Structures are given as C-alpha cells and as structure tokens.
Amino acid sequence: MALIASLLVQFGQMALVLLAAPLLTGWVRKVKAQVQRRRGPPMLQPYRDLRRLLGKEVVIAENASWLFRTAPYLIFALTWVGAALVPTFATGLLFSWTGDLIVIISLLGAARFLLALAGMDIGTSFGGIGASREVMIASLAEPAMLMVVLSLALVAGSTQLSTIADVMASPAVGLRVSLALGLVAFLIVAIAENGRIPVDNPATHLELTMVHEAMVLEYSGRHLAMIELAASLKLLLSLSAIACIFLPLGIVHDHSGGYAAGLASYGAKLAAAGAVLAVFESAIAKMRVFRVPSLLGGALMLGLLGTLLLYVARGM
C-alpha cells in the first residue's frame, strides 16, 4: 500500500505540472495585459489554443525529413520529464533520486538541440537564423547555469533537488551573499532559456528580433501544439526550480501528509512569480540580440563570484 501511495503522489505531480503549465502561461499574459491597461485574453485561453491546434490538420513541407516530424514529440517528452523531476509540493518522492539539476539541464539541452535541428531541417532562412541565435544563447547560458549548480552543490553537498530543498529549508543555511548572487544568475539564465523579454519576445514575429518563433514558423496543427505546451512546461520548470531551491517554504519534507498545504503553497508561489515576471516584462524593453552575450556573461560572472565566495568561506 505504501508503494501504491507513493506512485499515486508521483504520478499526481507529473499530471500537476502538465495541467498547470498552460494556466501559468495564461496567468502571465493576463497580468501583463492588466499592467498595460488592456483587457487581455482569458486565463484559460492557452487550453483553448491547444485544443484548437490538436484538431487542425498538419501541414508539412515537401522536403521535411523524419526529424521535423518527430522533433515536437521528443521536445515535449524531454521537457515534461524535466518539469516532473523538479519538486513542487513535496520532496523525496518515489522518483526524486533522478531529480538531479545536471540531469534536468541535460534534458533541456537535448530538447533545445532538437528544436534547433528541426528549425534548420527544411532550409528556410527564418529557421536558420532562429537556430543560430538559439545555439548562441545556449552556449552562454549553460556555463552560467552550471556555475550556479556548482555553488549550490557546495552548500548542499549534492546536486539532487530534493536534497538541496531540504538543506535550503534548514535554518543552518541562513542568508548568504553567494546564494544571492546565484539567484540573480539563475534568474538571468531562466529568462534567456525561456525566450522572455529582454532576451526575446514570445509575442513577436519580426524576423530581425525573433529567436524561438523563427524556429517554429513552419509547424502547424498538433506539432505546434506540442511545441507550445513544451514552452509552457519549460517556463513552469524554471519557476518551480527557483521556488524549490531559493524559496522552499511550504514544501512537505517529512511525508506525513499535508500535501494540500504544499499544493496551496506551490500555487501561491507560482502565481506570485508569474505576476512578477509579467510586471518585469512590462517595465523593460527588449535588448538587441548582440547585447545578449553581455547579459549572459554577467550571469556567468555572478555565478563564478558566488562559487569563489563559497570556496573562500569553506577554506576559512
């Protein structure tokens, strides 16, 4: 019975992230519209868009290979697995031993690689431009993220998210400058990974500025639905990881129940993070593509500085 209960809780988390991802996207769009004095779409609009796309016919270019057809499903599967491995309302679930930060970064990197290949597969100029920009951003964002992971591993003694959340929730950690630097670096990388303002604008279709949209212009129907759902899952994954690592309040650690309180706390943190993201995007302009390396370079330096501070503190 204990094994069945653990499986139910684990599968419940997998279903939770899948169902909550479009709602988070709708919430961010709604808050952003309200901040800009617009009515905006309803919060449930992403669900309607997904249902509409799933019912449409798929249009595929004649020179598209098998990679173009299978990439959306692989991207969705990799992103869903990564989002399901992040502790949301409880730590130490049945599959938590696989919830390693390095594994999650690898899953997202594989999904990004497939998306870039699919963008270049049919040979359009937009797809090539978007893929080259995506690879450029990834080559700078991943080292910064790995530096943040190293600093977290020095604090928690592990890269497993459940262990990190348990350690960060203990009063022995306290307030540290290194963790603050790691948080800022993590936020910058999360913005770049999700293609949000100021790095990219998910609502634009201008060929001089778009990155993610340029790679998916040729997709339609259920293929586009899989990619859009994967993008929502990636945003939820980033916010869940930030809440799990740097704000592990309300997460159930002892497995004695209280999952309802953990779910309420998780929902509140997602709502607050989505509102902050919407306000931030409304208050800042998109930067030029050639200035993005400077931003990600700053994140790398912040992560490196935080790691050096931890090394110095451990040496003393």
Side-chain angles (χ1 to χ4, degrees):
M1 292 299 295
L3 178 60
I4 294 177
S6 300
L7 282 173
L8 290 177
V9 175
Q10 182 67 68
F11 291 149
Q13 173 169 291
M14 296 177 65
L16 172 66
V17 296
L18 182 62
L19 296 176
L23 183 62
L24 175 62
T25 301
W27 167 249
V28 173
R29 292 175 181 174
K30 188 66 175 180
V31 175
K32 192 173 180 179
Q34 294 294 326
V35 172
Q36 297 174 357
R37 301 293 183 90
R38 296 185 291 108
R39 184 175 182 179
M43 288 179 55
L44 300 181
Q45 187 63 40
Y47 295 101
R48 300 172 183 172
D49 293 339
L50 290 174
R51 184 183 63 181
R52 175 173 52 84
L53 289 173
L54 289 173
K56 282 191 172 183
E57 182 182 359
V58 176
V59 179
I60 301 177
E62 294 181 356
N63 57 339
S65 68
W66 61 269
L67 177 64
F68 187 83
R69 296 177 174 87
T70 58
Y73 304 104
L74 294 176
I75 293 169
F76 165 72
L78 291 170
T79 310
W80 185 19
V81 171
L85 293 179
V86 179
T88 55
F89 59 90
T91 61
L93 298 182
L94 188 61
F95 298 153
S96 62
W97 60 275
T98 60
D100 192 279
L101 266 176
I102 298 178
V103 173
I104 294 174
I105 294 174
S106 302
L107 291 173
L108 294 180
R112 185 189 305 108
F113 177 69
L114 289 171
L115 183 59
L117 287 182
M120 296 186 296
D121 183 69
I122 56 176
T124 61
S125 57
F126 284 167
I129 291 174
S132 64
R133 292 174 177 175
E134 180 74 9
V135 173
M136 181 267 293
I137 294 173
S139 65
L140 298 170
E142 289 185 359
M145 177 60 76
L146 291 175
M147 194 59 63
V148 175
V149 172
L150 177 59
S151 63
L152 292 173
L154 289 174
V155 175
S158 174
T159 56
Q160 190 182 39
L161 278 172
S162 291
T163 303
I164 294 175
D166 293 337
V167 172
M168 296 292 285
S170 64
V173 176
L175 297 177
R176 302 190 183 187
V177 177
S178 57
L179 291 179
L181 296 176
L183 173 60
V184 176
F186 200 114
L187 290 172
I188 295 174
V189 173
I191 290 173
E193 289 280 353
N194 288 276
R196 311 297 302 193
I197 296 175
V199 176
D200 188 20
N201 187 355
T204 186
H205 285 83
L206 298 176
E207 63 273 13
L208 295 179
T209 60
M210 61 183 177
V211 179
H212 177 269
E213 294 297 324
M215 295 182 289
V216 302
L217 278 178
E218 300 298 323
Y219 278 111
S220 60
R222 62 180 181 274
H223 292 164
L224 183 58
M226 292 293 101
I227 292 178
E228 292 295 332
L229 185 54
S232 298
L233 281 168
K234 192 174 183 180
L235 178 60
L236 183 136
L237 185 156
S238 300
L239 297 183
S240 299
I242 293 172
C244 169
I245 296 170
F246 299 100
L247 193 64
L249 302 176
I251 298 182
V252 179
H253 300 278
D254 53 4
H255 306 284
S256 61
Y259 292 136
L263 285 170
S265 175
Y266 176 64
K269 287 186 284 188
L270 277 186
V276 170
L277 176 62
V279 173
F280 174 78
E281 288 189 338
S282 300
I284 194 171
K286 183 187 178 302
M287 64 174 54
R288 296 178 61 189
V289 175
F290 299 108
R291 294 182 59 188
V292 174
S294 300
L295 178 66
L296 294 175
L300 177 60
M301 290 299 103
L302 289 174
L304 177 60
L305 181 58
T307 304
L308 292 177
L309 288 175
L310 287 172
Y311 268 120
V312 172
R314 289 168 67 93
M316 297 176 60

